[in-house]
Amino acid sequence: MGPVTRTTQTRKTPATRATALGLAALLLWAAQGLAGAPAGAGPSDTGLKGAVDAILADPRLDGGAAGVVVADASTGAALYRRDGDDRLVPASNTKIPTSAAAMALLGPDHRFRTEVLATGRLDSGVLHGDLHLRGTGDPTTLAADYDRLAARVAAAGIRRVTGRLVADDTRFDANRLGRSWAADDESSYYSAQISALTLAPDTDYDSGTVIVEASPAGAPGRRPAVTLTPRNDHVRVDNRATTVGAGRPDTLTVERAHGTNTLVVRGGIPVGASPVREWVAVDDPTGYATAVFADALAARGIRVEGPTRLGVRTPASARPVAVHESMPLKRLLHPLMKLSNNMHAEALAKAVGYEVSGSGSWEAGLAAVGAYLREEGVDTAGLRQADGSGLSRMNLFPAARLAELLLAVQDAPWYADWYASLPVACDPDRMVGGTLRKRMCGTPAALNARGKTGTLTGASALSGYVTDAAGRRLVYSVVLNNHLAASVKDVEDAVVVTLASSDTARGRITGPAPSPERRAAPPGAALECSWRKPGASC
C-alpha cells in the first residue's frame, strides 16, 4: 500500500507571518532576539535579566550548562536569553517537535486502524484461507479492542480457519529500539519496543508492555501469586520470589531476562502487604498482540488450524472483515504529552515517515520532522534529533530553537488542540496536570503555566507558555544539563514563577519566594516523573 494522501492545510507564508508578528518586532528579533543575542545577554533593562540570572546561579548548576530563552508570545520579541544557541540534551522536550510535526503532517483527526482481513473462500462458517491481522501503528490498542475485533470476526460468520493467523506489522520497519537507548532499560516499560502492531495493558496506553502483579501468600516461605494483565502465553513467568514475615522489607523485583520473554520475579514480599505491580516491556510486541488476539478468537469459538506467522505483508486481494480505529490524534496527544509517553512519540515519528515518504522508519520520520521545522522557520542546522521521544542522549536542541517552534505553532489551525495537550501546573487531574500536576502550586504559575517537562540523569527541561501578572503571554524554554544533583526542577519552576509573578512590560519583577531549605529530590528523580509507576510523587 502506498502512502496515505496528505490532508492539505493552509500554512502561513513567511510574509504573512511577518505581518502577524509585526515588522518592527521581527527586526528586534533579528537584532537582539532568539537568533542573535550574545551568551548571557538580555535585550532590556527591566530587571528580568538580573532575576533569572540569580535563579541560574544555583550552586547545583555549577559546572553544568543552562540554556534559557523567554519571549513575548504575541510579537516574538526576546525578553531574556542565556546561552540560547547552546546544543543541550532536551530529554522529553523532544516530544515538542515530534508532536507538532505529527499534528501538521498527519492532521488532528488522524486515526490509526487495526484491521482483520481474510484471503480464500468462506463456506458454511469455514474460511478456506488465512486470517490477517494488520496494524498501522496504533499505540493505544487494548486487549478489549482485540476482543471486539474477534467478536466482529465471529459476527461475520467465521467459525473455523483452515489456514493461518498472519500478523502484518510491515507499516513500520523492523527496527524496534531507538538509537543509543540505554541497554539497561531493556525491560523498562518507558523504553518498550516499537511495532506497527502492538498492545497496551491499560489506559495509560503503555504500548508493548505487560503488567505483572505479585500478591503475598498467607504464610512466610511460600511463593507469592503472580498474574499478568492482559493474560497471555507470549511471556513466561519465572517466579523465584518468597513471601516473608510481616514487617520485613519488601524487596520484590520483576525483570525480563535479556533477549527473552521470561519475566523473572525475585526477592521477598511481606505477609499482608499490598500487591506489587510492575509494568514490563515485552520482547516482540507484534507476537504479543497477536497472541492476545488469538486467545480472543478462541474465546469466541473461532478455531485457527494453521500456525501463526508474524511480519508478513497482507495480500492486496485480502477482504476486510473487521476494523478498530484509534482515538483521533488530537486526543491521543493527551496521554502522549501529559504522561510523557515515549512509545506514542516513537509511533508518531514512524507514522509521519510513512505519511510523507511511504517508509515507516525513524530515518524517514525524523527527516519529515526536520523538514516541518524548517517550514516553520526553525534553523535545524544547529540541532540533532535522533528519536521521537527524547530517550536518546544523541538528541541536541538549543533552547532558542524550542522557543522558536513554540512561537511559530501559534498560527497553526490545530494549535488549540496541541496546546490543550500540554501539562498544566498544579492541576491535580492526572490527565490535565500530567507531569506538572504537583509543581508550582501556591504560586501565580498554578493553573497558568503550561509546559512540556523533560528528565534524564543530568538533563532536565521545561518549555511552554505562561501569562505574566499583567496579562502578557510569554513563551519560555529552560534546558539544564550536566548537573550532578538528582533534580533541578525547582530551578525551572523558579524561572516560570518569576515570569508569572511579574509585570514584564513595565519592568516590575517579582522573584520567587526564597526557600529556607532545599526540597529533597524524590526517589527516582533522574527519570521523567510519570515514568515512575505507581504512585509517582511528581
Side-chain angles (χ1 to χ4, degrees), residues 47-48 51-52 55 444-445 466 468-469 474 492-504 508-513:
L48 182 61
V52 178
I55 294 168
V466 65
D468 80 1
L474 307 173
E492 300 162 0
D493 293 352
V495 173
V496 179
V497 170
T498 296
L499 298 176
S501 306
S502 302
D503 181 343
T504 57
R508 297 170 182 166
I509 307 304
T510 303

mmCIF file with all atom_site columns, all heavy atoms in Angstrom, residues 47-48 51-52 55 444-445 466 468-469 474 492-504 508-513:
data_model
loop_
_atom_site.group_PDB
_atom_site.id
_atom_site.type_symbol
_atom_site.label_atom_id
_atom_site.label_alt_id
_atom_site.label_comp_id
_atom_site.label_asym_id
_atom_site.label_entity_id
_atom_site.label_seq_id
_atom_site.pdbx_PDB_ins_code
_atom_site.Cartn_x
_atom_site.Cartn_y
_atom_site.Cartn_z
_atom_site.occupancy
_atom_site.B_iso_or_equiv
_atom_site.pdbx_formal_charge
_atom_site.auth_seq_id
_atom_site.auth_comp_id
_atom_site.auth_asym_id
_atom_site.auth_atom_id
_atom_site.pdbx_PDB_model_num
ATOM 1   N N   . GLY A 1 47  ? 15.064 44.370 34.534 1.00 0.00 ? 47  GLY A N   1
ATOM 2   C CA  . GLY A 1 47  ? 15.325 43.642 35.757 1.00 0.00 ? 47  GLY A CA  1
ATOM 3   C C   . GLY A 1 47  ? 15.067 42.166 35.638 1.00 0.00 ? 47  GLY A C   1
ATOM 4   O O   . GLY A 1 47  ? 15.414 41.403 36.539 1.00 0.00 ? 47  GLY A O   1
ATOM 5   N N   . LEU A 1 48  ? 14.457 41.742 34.549 1.00 0.00 ? 48  LEU A N   1
ATOM 6   C CA  . LEU A 1 48  ? 14.211 40.314 34.358 1.00 0.00 ? 48  LEU A CA  1
ATOM 7   C C   . LEU A 1 48  ? 15.525 39.559 34.247 1.00 0.00 ? 48  LEU A C   1
ATOM 8   O O   . LEU A 1 48  ? 15.667 38.458 34.792 1.00 0.00 ? 48  LEU A O   1
ATOM 9   C CB  . LEU A 1 48  ? 13.350 40.091 33.112 1.00 0.00 ? 48  LEU A CB  1
ATOM 10  C CG  . LEU A 1 48  ? 12.972 38.631 32.820 1.00 0.00 ? 48  LEU A CG  1
ATOM 11  C CD1 . LEU A 1 48  ? 12.154 38.042 33.967 1.00 0.00 ? 48  LEU A CD1 1
ATOM 12  C CD2 . LEU A 1 48  ? 12.194 38.535 31.507 1.00 0.00 ? 48  LEU A CD2 1
ATOM 13  N N   . ALA A 1 51  ? 16.967 38.942 37.673 1.00 0.00 ? 51  ALA A N   1
ATOM 14  C CA  . ALA A 1 51  ? 16.190 37.978 38.451 1.00 0.00 ? 51  ALA A CA  1
ATOM 15  C C   . ALA A 1 51  ? 16.456 36.554 37.983 1.00 0.00 ? 51  ALA A C   1
ATOM 16  O O   . ALA A 1 51  ? 16.656 35.648 38.795 1.00 0.00 ? 51  ALA A O   1
ATOM 17  C CB  . ALA A 1 51  ? 14.707 38.311 38.349 1.00 0.00 ? 51  ALA A CB  1
ATOM 18  N N   . VAL A 1 52  ? 16.445 36.328 36.666 1.00 0.00 ? 52  VAL A N   1
ATOM 19  C CA  . VAL A 1 52  ? 16.654 34.977 36.143 1.00 0.00 ? 52  VAL A CA  1
ATOM 20  C C   . VAL A 1 52  ? 18.108 34.554 36.323 1.00 0.00 ? 52  VAL A C   1
ATOM 21  O O   . VAL A 1 52  ? 18.400 33.405 36.665 1.00 0.00 ? 52  VAL A O   1
ATOM 22  C CB  . VAL A 1 52  ? 16.209 34.879 34.671 1.00 0.00 ? 52  VAL A CB  1
ATOM 23  C CG1 . VAL A 1 52  ? 16.481 33.483 34.124 1.00 0.00 ? 52  VAL A CG1 1
ATOM 24  C CG2 . VAL A 1 52  ? 14.731 35.212 34.542 1.00 0.00 ? 52  VAL A CG2 1
ATOM 25  N N   . ILE A 1 55  ? 18.531 33.184 39.712 1.00 0.00 ? 55  ILE A N   1
ATOM 26  C CA  . ILE A 1 55  ? 17.995 31.819 39.837 1.00 0.00 ? 55  ILE A CA  1
ATOM 27  C C   . ILE A 1 55  ? 18.992 30.810 39.274 1.00 0.00 ? 55  ILE A C   1
ATOM 28  O O   . ILE A 1 55  ? 19.249 29.754 39.872 1.00 0.00 ? 55  ILE A O   1
ATOM 29  C CB  . ILE A 1 55  ? 16.641 31.708 39.106 1.00 0.00 ? 55  ILE A CB  1
ATOM 30  C CG1 . ILE A 1 55  ? 15.594 32.573 39.792 1.00 0.00 ? 55  ILE A CG1 1
ATOM 31  C CG2 . ILE A 1 55  ? 16.186 30.251 39.027 1.00 0.00 ? 55  ILE A CG2 1
ATOM 32  C CD1 . ILE A 1 55  ? 14.329 32.752 38.981 1.00 0.00 ? 55  ILE A CD1 1
ATOM 33  N N   . PRO A 1 444 ? 1.598  32.166 41.419 1.00 0.00 ? 444 PRO A N   1
ATOM 34  C CA  . PRO A 1 444 ? 0.839  32.673 40.272 1.00 0.00 ? 444 PRO A CA  1
ATOM 35  C C   . PRO A 1 444 ? 0.956  31.808 39.016 1.00 0.00 ? 444 PRO A C   1
ATOM 36  O O   . PRO A 1 444 ? 0.205  32.006 38.062 1.00 0.00 ? 444 PRO A O   1
ATOM 37  C CB  . PRO A 1 444 ? 1.446  34.064 40.042 1.00 0.00 ? 444 PRO A CB  1
ATOM 38  C CG  . PRO A 1 444 ? 1.997  34.468 41.366 1.00 0.00 ? 444 PRO A CG  1
ATOM 39  C CD  . PRO A 1 444 ? 2.515  33.193 41.963 1.00 0.00 ? 444 PRO A CD  1
ATOM 40  N N   . ALA A 1 445 ? 1.903  30.856 39.010 1.00 0.00 ? 445 ALA A N   1
ATOM 41  C CA  . ALA A 1 445 ? 2.019  29.964 37.853 1.00 0.00 ? 445 ALA A CA  1
ATOM 42  C C   . ALA A 1 445 ? 1.025  28.811 37.907 1.00 0.00 ? 445 ALA A C   1
ATOM 43  O O   . ALA A 1 445 ? 0.772  28.167 36.887 1.00 0.00 ? 445 ALA A O   1
ATOM 44  C CB  . ALA A 1 445 ? 3.441  29.406 37.768 1.00 0.00 ? 445 ALA A CB  1
ATOM 45  N N   . VAL A 1 466 ? 3.333  30.832 29.557 1.00 0.00 ? 466 VAL A N   1
ATOM 46  C CA  . VAL A 1 466 ? 2.834  31.324 30.837 1.00 0.00 ? 466 VAL A CA  1
ATOM 47  C C   . VAL A 1 466 ? 2.372  32.764 30.634 1.00 0.00 ? 466 VAL A C   1
ATOM 48  O O   . VAL A 1 466 ? 2.908  33.488 29.780 1.00 0.00 ? 466 VAL A O   1
ATOM 49  C CB  . VAL A 1 466 ? 3.925  31.240 31.935 1.00 0.00 ? 466 VAL A CB  1
ATOM 50  C CG1 . VAL A 1 466 ? 5.096  32.172 31.635 1.00 0.00 ? 466 VAL A CG1 1
ATOM 51  C CG2 . VAL A 1 466 ? 3.341  31.513 33.316 1.00 0.00 ? 466 VAL A CG2 1
ATOM 52  N N   . ASP A 1 468 ? 1.994  36.500 32.335 1.00 0.00 ? 468 ASP A N   1
ATOM 53  C CA  . ASP A 1 468 ? 2.581  37.238 33.446 1.00 0.00 ? 468 ASP A CA  1
ATOM 54  C C   . ASP A 1 468 ? 1.509  37.979 34.242 1.00 0.00 ? 468 ASP A C   1
ATOM 55  O O   . ASP A 1 468 ? 0.308  37.896 33.924 1.00 0.00 ? 468 ASP A O   1
ATOM 56  C CB  . ASP A 1 468 ? 3.719  38.147 32.979 1.00 0.00 ? 468 ASP A CB  1
ATOM 57  C CG  . ASP A 1 468 ? 3.276  39.460 32.351 1.00 0.00 ? 468 ASP A CG  1
ATOM 58  O OD1 . ASP A 1 468 ? 2.057  39.726 32.263 1.00 0.00 ? 468 ASP A OD1 1
ATOM 59  O OD2 . ASP A 1 468 ? 4.163  40.238 31.922 1.00 0.00 ? 468 ASP A OD2 1
ATOM 60  N N   . ALA A 1 469 ? 1.924  38.694 35.278 1.00 0.00 ? 469 ALA A N   1
ATOM 61  C CA  . ALA A 1 469 ? 0.973  39.307 36.208 1.00 0.00 ? 469 ALA A CA  1
ATOM 62  C C   . ALA A 1 469 ? 0.117  40.386 35.559 1.00 0.00 ? 469 ALA A C   1
ATOM 63  O O   . ALA A 1 469 ? -0.960 40.712 36.071 1.00 0.00 ? 469 ALA A O   1
ATOM 64  C CB  . ALA A 1 469 ? 1.734  39.901 37.395 1.00 0.00 ? 469 ALA A CB  1
ATOM 65  N N   . LEU A 1 474 ? 3.696  34.801 27.503 1.00 0.00 ? 474 LEU A N   1
ATOM 66  C CA  . LEU A 1 474 ? 5.112  34.585 27.250 1.00 0.00 ? 474 LEU A CA  1
ATOM 67  C C   . LEU A 1 474 ? 5.375  33.151 26.815 1.00 0.00 ? 474 LEU A C   1
ATOM 68  O O   . LEU A 1 474 ? 4.651  32.234 27.189 1.00 0.00 ? 474 LEU A O   1
ATOM 69  C CB  . LEU A 1 474 ? 5.932  34.877 28.519 1.00 0.00 ? 474 LEU A CB  1
ATOM 70  C CG  . LEU A 1 474 ? 5.719  36.234 29.190 1.00 0.00 ? 474 LEU A CG  1
ATOM 71  C CD1 . LEU A 1 474 ? 6.468  36.284 30.510 1.00 0.00 ? 474 LEU A CD1 1
ATOM 72  C CD2 . LEU A 1 474 ? 6.140  37.369 28.266 1.00 0.00 ? 474 LEU A CD2 1
ATOM 73  N N   . GLU A 1 492 ? 13.861 25.307 37.373 1.00 0.00 ? 492 GLU A N   1
ATOM 74  C CA  . GLU A 1 492 ? 12.949 25.586 36.254 1.00 0.00 ? 492 GLU A CA  1
ATOM 75  C C   . GLU A 1 492 ? 11.694 26.287 36.765 1.00 0.00 ? 492 GLU A C   1
ATOM 76  O O   . GLU A 1 492 ? 11.237 27.284 36.179 1.00 0.00 ? 492 GLU A O   1
ATOM 77  C CB  . GLU A 1 492 ? 12.547 24.280 35.573 1.00 0.00 ? 492 GLU A CB  1
ATOM 78  C CG  . GLU A 1 492 ? 13.699 23.479 35.008 1.00 0.00 ? 492 GLU A CG  1
ATOM 79  C CD  . GLU A 1 492 ? 13.329 22.032 34.732 1.00 0.00 ? 492 GLU A CD  1
ATOM 80  O OE1 . GLU A 1 492 ? 12.165 21.634 34.979 1.00 0.00 ? 492 GLU A OE1 1
ATOM 81  O OE2 . GLU A 1 492 ? 14.212 21.301 34.263 1.00 0.00 ? 492 GLU A OE2 1
ATOM 82  N N   . ASP A 1 493 ? 11.131 25.747 37.851 1.00 0.00 ? 493 ASP A N   1
ATOM 83  C CA  . ASP A 1 493 ? 9.906  26.327 38.398 1.00 0.00 ? 493 ASP A CA  1
ATOM 84  C C   . ASP A 1 493 ? 10.115 27.774 38.818 1.00 0.00 ? 493 ASP A C   1
ATOM 85  O O   . ASP A 1 493 ? 9.236  28.628 38.606 1.00 0.00 ? 493 ASP A O   1
ATOM 86  C CB  . ASP A 1 493 ? 9.426  25.510 39.598 1.00 0.00 ? 493 ASP A CB  1
ATOM 87  C CG  . ASP A 1 493 ? 8.958  24.108 39.216 1.00 0.00 ? 493 ASP A CG  1
ATOM 88  O OD1 . ASP A 1 493 ? 8.868  23.821 38.008 1.00 0.00 ? 493 ASP A OD1 1
ATOM 89  O OD2 . ASP A 1 493 ? 8.685  23.318 40.135 1.00 0.00 ? 493 ASP A OD2 1
ATOM 90  N N   . ALA A 1 494 ? 11.271 28.068 39.408 1.00 0.00 ? 494 ALA A N   1
ATOM 91  C CA  . ALA A 1 494 ? 11.544 29.433 39.862 1.00 0.00 ? 494 ALA A CA  1
ATOM 92  C C   . ALA A 1 494 ? 11.546 30.415 38.695 1.00 0.00 ? 494 ALA A C   1
ATOM 93  O O   . ALA A 1 494 ? 11.058 31.547 38.820 1.00 0.00 ? 494 ALA A O   1
ATOM 94  C CB  . ALA A 1 494 ? 12.881 29.483 40.608 1.00 0.00 ? 494 ALA A CB  1
ATOM 95  N N   . VAL A 1 495 ? 12.075 29.992 37.548 1.00 0.00 ? 495 VAL A N   1
ATOM 96  C CA  . VAL A 1 495 ? 12.054 30.855 36.362 1.00 0.00 ? 495 VAL A CA  1
ATOM 97  C C   . VAL A 1 495 ? 10.613 31.135 35.941 1.00 0.00 ? 495 VAL A C   1
ATOM 98  O O   . VAL A 1 495 ? 10.219 32.289 35.710 1.00 0.00 ? 495 VAL A O   1
ATOM 99  C CB  . VAL A 1 495 ? 12.842 30.216 35.209 1.00 0.00 ? 495 VAL A CB  1
ATOM 100 C CG1 . VAL A 1 495 ? 12.665 31.031 33.919 1.00 0.00 ? 495 VAL A CG1 1
ATOM 101 C CG2 . VAL A 1 495 ? 14.320 30.094 35.554 1.00 0.00 ? 495 VAL A CG2 1
ATOM 102 N N   . VAL A 1 496 ? 9.810  30.083 35.859 1.00 0.00 ? 496 VAL A N   1
ATOM 103 C CA  . VAL A 1 496 ? 8.431  30.245 35.383 1.00 0.00 ? 496 VAL A CA  1
ATOM 104 C C   . VAL A 1 496 ? 7.593  31.024 36.393 1.00 0.00 ? 496 VAL A C   1
ATOM 105 O O   . VAL A 1 496 ? 6.778  31.879 36.016 1.00 0.00 ? 496 VAL A O   1
ATOM 106 C CB  . VAL A 1 496 ? 7.816  28.867 35.079 1.00 0.00 ? 496 VAL A CB  1
ATOM 107 C CG1 . VAL A 1 496 ? 6.364  29.018 34.613 1.00 0.00 ? 496 VAL A CG1 1
ATOM 108 C CG2 . VAL A 1 496 ? 8.627  28.138 34.012 1.00 0.00 ? 496 VAL A CG2 1
ATOM 109 N N   . VAL A 1 497 ? 7.790  30.768 37.682 1.00 0.00 ? 497 VAL A N   1
ATOM 110 C CA  . VAL A 1 497 ? 7.050  31.507 38.706 1.00 0.00 ? 497 VAL A CA  1
ATOM 111 C C   . VAL A 1 497 ? 7.422  32.991 38.671 1.00 0.00 ? 497 VAL A C   1
ATOM 112 O O   . VAL A 1 497 ? 6.557  33.864 38.840 1.00 0.00 ? 497 VAL A O   1
ATOM 113 C CB  . VAL A 1 497 ? 7.308  30.897 40.101 1.00 0.00 ? 497 VAL A CB  1
ATOM 114 C CG1 . VAL A 1 497 ? 6.750  31.807 41.203 1.00 0.00 ? 497 VAL A CG1 1
ATOM 115 C CG2 . VAL A 1 497 ? 6.675  29.515 40.197 1.00 0.00 ? 497 VAL A CG2 1
ATOM 116 N N   . THR A 1 498 ? 8.679  33.295 38.447 1.00 0.00 ? 498 THR A N   1
ATOM 117 C CA  . THR A 1 498 ? 9.094  34.698 38.305 1.00 0.00 ? 498 THR A CA  1
ATOM 118 C C   . THR A 1 498 ? 8.357  35.369 37.154 1.00 0.00 ? 498 THR A C   1
ATOM 119 O O   . THR A 1 498 ? 7.875  36.502 37.280 1.00 0.00 ? 498 THR A O   1
ATOM 120 C CB  . THR A 1 498 ? 10.611 34.779 38.094 1.00 0.00 ? 498 THR A CB  1
ATOM 121 O OG1 . THR A 1 498 ? 11.278 34.294 39.258 1.00 0.00 ? 498 THR A OG1 1
ATOM 122 C CG2 . THR A 1 498 ? 11.065 36.205 37.815 1.00 0.00 ? 498 THR A CG2 1
ATOM 123 N N   . LEU A 1 499 ? 8.249  34.687 36.024 1.00 0.00 ? 499 LEU A N   1
ATOM 124 C CA  . LEU A 1 499 ? 7.526  35.244 34.880 1.00 0.00 ? 499 LEU A CA  1
ATOM 125 C C   . LEU A 1 499 ? 6.057  35.471 35.219 1.00 0.00 ? 499 LEU A C   1
ATOM 126 O O   . LEU A 1 499 ? 5.478  36.511 34.890 1.00 0.00 ? 499 LEU A O   1
ATOM 127 C CB  . LEU A 1 499 ? 7.650  34.306 33.677 1.00 0.00 ? 499 LEU A CB  1
ATOM 128 C CG  . LEU A 1 499 ? 9.062  34.058 33.148 1.00 0.00 ? 499 LEU A CG  1
ATOM 129 C CD1 . LEU A 1 499 ? 9.048  33.033 32.024 1.00 0.00 ? 499 LEU A CD1 1
ATOM 130 C CD2 . LEU A 1 499 ? 9.711  35.354 32.682 1.00 0.00 ? 499 LEU A CD2 1
ATOM 131 N N   . ALA A 1 500 ? 5.435  34.468 35.886 1.00 0.00 ? 500 ALA A N   1
ATOM 132 C CA  . ALA A 1 500 ? 4.018  34.585 36.213 1.00 0.00 ? 500 ALA A CA  1
ATOM 133 C C   . ALA A 1 500 ? 3.756  35.665 37.258 1.00 0.00 ? 500 ALA A C   1
ATOM 134 O O   . ALA A 1 500 ? 2.656  36.243 37.299 1.00 0.00 ? 500 ALA A O   1
ATOM 135 C CB  . ALA A 1 500 ? 3.506  33.227 36.720 1.00 0.00 ? 500 ALA A CB  1
ATOM 136 N N   . SER A 1 501 ? 4.742  35.964 38.087 1.00 0.00 ? 501 SER A N   1
ATOM 137 C CA  . SER A 1 501 ? 4.564  36.921 39.188 1.00 0.00 ? 501 SER A CA  1
ATOM 138 C C   . SER A 1 501 ? 4.848  38.361 38.777 1.00 0.00 ? 501 SER A C   1
ATOM 139 O O   . SER A 1 501 ? 4.528  39.297 39.529 1.00 0.00 ? 501 SER A O   1
ATOM 140 C CB  . SER A 1 501 ? 5.495  36.551 40.352 1.00 0.00 ? 501 SER A CB  1
ATOM 141 O OG  . SER A 1 501 ? 5.312  35.219 40.764 1.00 0.00 ? 501 SER A OG  1
ATOM 142 N N   . SER A 1 502 ? 5.457  38.557 37.618 1.00 0.00 ? 502 SER A N   1
ATOM 143 C CA  . SER A 1 502 ? 5.996  39.870 37.249 1.00 0.00 ? 502 SER A CA  1
ATOM 144 C C   . SER A 1 502 ? 5.167  40.564 36.183 1.00 0.00 ? 502 SER A C   1
ATOM 145 O O   . SER A 1 502 ? 4.433  39.923 35.420 1.00 0.00 ? 502 SER A O   1
ATOM 146 C CB  . SER A 1 502 ? 7.431  39.694 36.741 1.00 0.00 ? 502 SER A CB  1
ATOM 147 O OG  . SER A 1 502 ? 8.244  39.085 37.719 1.00 0.00 ? 502 SER A OG  1
ATOM 148 N N   . ASP A 1 503 ? 5.293  41.879 36.147 1.00 0.00 ? 503 ASP A N   1
ATOM 149 C CA  . ASP A 1 503 ? 4.789  42.684 35.030 1.00 0.00 ? 503 ASP A CA  1
ATOM 150 C C   . ASP A 1 503 ? 6.000  42.946 34.140 1.00 0.00 ? 503 ASP A C   1
ATOM 151 O O   . ASP A 1 503 ? 6.749  43.908 34.358 1.00 0.00 ? 503 ASP A O   1
ATOM 152 C CB  . ASP A 1 503 ? 4.184  43.985 35.548 1.00 0.00 ? 503 ASP A CB  1
ATOM 153 C CG  . ASP A 1 503 ? 3.614  44.856 34.431 1.00 0.00 ? 503 ASP A CG  1
ATOM 154 O OD1 . ASP A 1 503 ? 3.962  44.626 33.258 1.00 0.00 ? 503 ASP A OD1 1
ATOM 155 O OD2 . ASP A 1 503 ? 2.826  45.777 34.744 1.00 0.00 ? 503 ASP A OD2 1
ATOM 156 N N   . THR A 1 504 ? 6.207  42.085 33.175 1.00 0.00 ? 504 THR A N   1
ATOM 157 C CA  . THR A 1 504 ? 7.445  42.145 32.399 1.00 0.00 ? 504 THR A CA  1
ATOM 158 C C   . THR A 1 504 ? 7.502  43.359 31.490 1.00 0.00 ? 504 THR A C   1
ATOM 159 O O   . THR A 1 504 ? 8.586  43.836 31.171 1.00 0.00 ? 504 THR A O   1
ATOM 160 C CB  . THR A 1 504 ? 7.612  40.859 31.574 1.00 0.00 ? 504 THR A CB  1
ATOM 161 O OG1 . THR A 1 504 ? 6.469  40.673 30.718 1.00 0.00 ? 504 THR A OG1 1
ATOM 162 C CG2 . THR A 1 504 ? 7.768  39.638 32.471 1.00 0.00 ? 504 THR A CG2 1
ATOM 163 N N   . ARG A 1 508 ? 8.405  45.442 36.368 1.00 0.00 ? 508 ARG A N   1
ATOM 164 C CA  . ARG A 1 508 ? 8.125  45.171 37.779 1.00 0.00 ? 508 ARG A CA  1
ATOM 165 C C   . ARG A 1 508 ? 8.306  43.672 38.007 1.00 0.00 ? 508 ARG A C   1
ATOM 166 O O   . ARG A 1 508 ? 7.394  42.881 37.791 1.00 0.00 ? 508 ARG A O   1
ATOM 167 C CB  . ARG A 1 508 ? 6.721  45.617 38.134 1.00 0.00 ? 508 ARG A CB  1
ATOM 168 C CG  . ARG A 1 508 ? 6.533  47.120 37.964 1.00 0.00 ? 508 ARG A CG  1
ATOM 169 C CD  . ARG A 1 508 ? 5.076  47.521 38.075 1.00 0.00 ? 508 ARG A CD  1
ATOM 170 N NE  . ARG A 1 508 ? 4.902  48.959 37.853 1.00 0.00 ? 508 ARG A NE  1
ATOM 171 C CZ  . ARG A 1 508 ? 3.730  49.545 37.626 1.00 0.00 ? 508 ARG A CZ  1
ATOM 172 N NH1 . ARG A 1 508 ? 2.615  48.819 37.607 1.00 0.00 ? 508 ARG A NH1 1
ATOM 173 N NH2 . ARG A 1 508 ? 3.676  50.848 37.421 1.00 0.00 ? 508 ARG A NH2 1
ATOM 174 N N   . ILE A 1 509 ? 9.483  43.311 38.424 1.00 0.00 ? 509 ILE A N   1
ATOM 175 C CA  . ILE A 1 509 ? 9.877  41.907 38.503 1.00 0.00 ? 509 ILE A CA  1
ATOM 176 C C   . ILE A 1 509 ? 9.762  41.419 39.935 1.00 0.00 ? 509 ILE A C   1
ATOM 177 O O   . ILE A 1 509 ? 10.312 42.032 40.866 1.00 0.00 ? 509 ILE A O   1
ATOM 178 C CB  . ILE A 1 509 ? 11.316 41.706 37.990 1.00 0.00 ? 509 ILE A CB  1
ATOM 179 C CG1 . ILE A 1 509 ? 11.466 42.320 36.579 1.00 0.00 ? 509 ILE A CG1 1
ATOM 180 C CG2 . ILE A 1 509 ? 11.666 40.231 37.975 1.00 0.00 ? 509 ILE A CG2 1
ATOM 181 C CD1 . ILE A 1 509 ? 10.490 41.785 35.548 1.00 0.00 ? 509 ILE A CD1 1
ATOM 182 N N   . THR A 1 510 ? 9.061  40.317 40.109 1.00 0.00 ? 510 THR A N   1
ATOM 183 C CA  . THR A 1 510 ? 8.885  39.700 41.419 1.00 0.00 ? 510 THR A CA  1
ATOM 184 C C   . THR A 1 510 ? 9.460  38.296 41.362 1.00 0.00 ? 510 THR A C   1
ATOM 185 O O   . THR A 1 510 ? 8.927  37.430 40.654 1.00 0.00 ? 510 THR A O   1
ATOM 186 C CB  . THR A 1 510 ? 7.400  39.636 41.817 1.00 0.00 ? 510 THR A CB  1
ATOM 187 O OG1 . THR A 1 510 ? 6.846  40.952 41.785 1.00 0.00 ? 510 THR A OG1 1
ATOM 188 C CG2 . THR A 1 510 ? 7.232  39.028 43.197 1.00 0.00 ? 510 THR A CG2 1
ATOM 189 N N   . GLY A 1 511 ? 10.539 38.083 42.082 1.00 0.00 ? 511 GLY A N   1
ATOM 190 C CA  . GLY A 1 511 ? 11.160 36.772 42.088 1.00 0.00 ? 511 GLY A CA  1
ATOM 191 C C   . GLY A 1 511 ? 10.400 35.802 42.967 1.00 0.00 ? 511 GLY A C   1
ATOM 192 O O   . GLY A 1 511 ? 9.522  36.193 43.752 1.00 0.00 ? 511 GLY A O   1
ATOM 193 N N   . PRO A 1 512 ? 10.713 34.503 42.868 1.00 0.00 ? 512 PRO A N   1
ATOM 194 C CA  . PRO A 1 512 ? 10.031 33.509 43.704 1.00 0.00 ? 512 PRO A CA  1
ATOM 195 C C   . PRO A 1 512 ? 10.416 33.676 45.164 1.00 0.00 ? 512 PRO A C   1
ATOM 196 O O   . PRO A 1 512 ? 11.488 34.172 45.488 1.00 0.00 ? 512 PRO A O   1
ATOM 197 C CB  . PRO A 1 512 ? 10.549 32.176 43.148 1.00 0.00 ? 512 PRO A CB  1
ATOM 198 C CG  . PRO A 1 512 ? 11.887 32.514 42.561 1.00 0.00 ? 512 PRO A CG  1
ATOM 199 C CD  . PRO A 1 512 ? 11.762 33.905 42.028 1.00 0.00 ? 512 PRO A CD  1
ATOM 200 N N   . ALA A 1 513 ? 9.521  33.287 46.056 1.00 0.00 ? 513 ALA A N   1
ATOM 201 C CA  . ALA A 1 513 ? 9.819  33.368 47.486 1.00 0.00 ? 513 ALA A CA  1
ATOM 202 C C   . ALA A 1 513 ? 11.011 32.472 47.801 1.00 0.00 ? 513 ALA A C   1
ATOM 203 O O   . ALA A 1 513 ? 11.093 31.351 47.312 1.00 0.00 ? 513 ALA A O   1
ATOM 204 C CB  . ALA A 1 513 ? 8.603  32.929 48.290 1.00 0.00 ? 513 ALA A CB  1
#
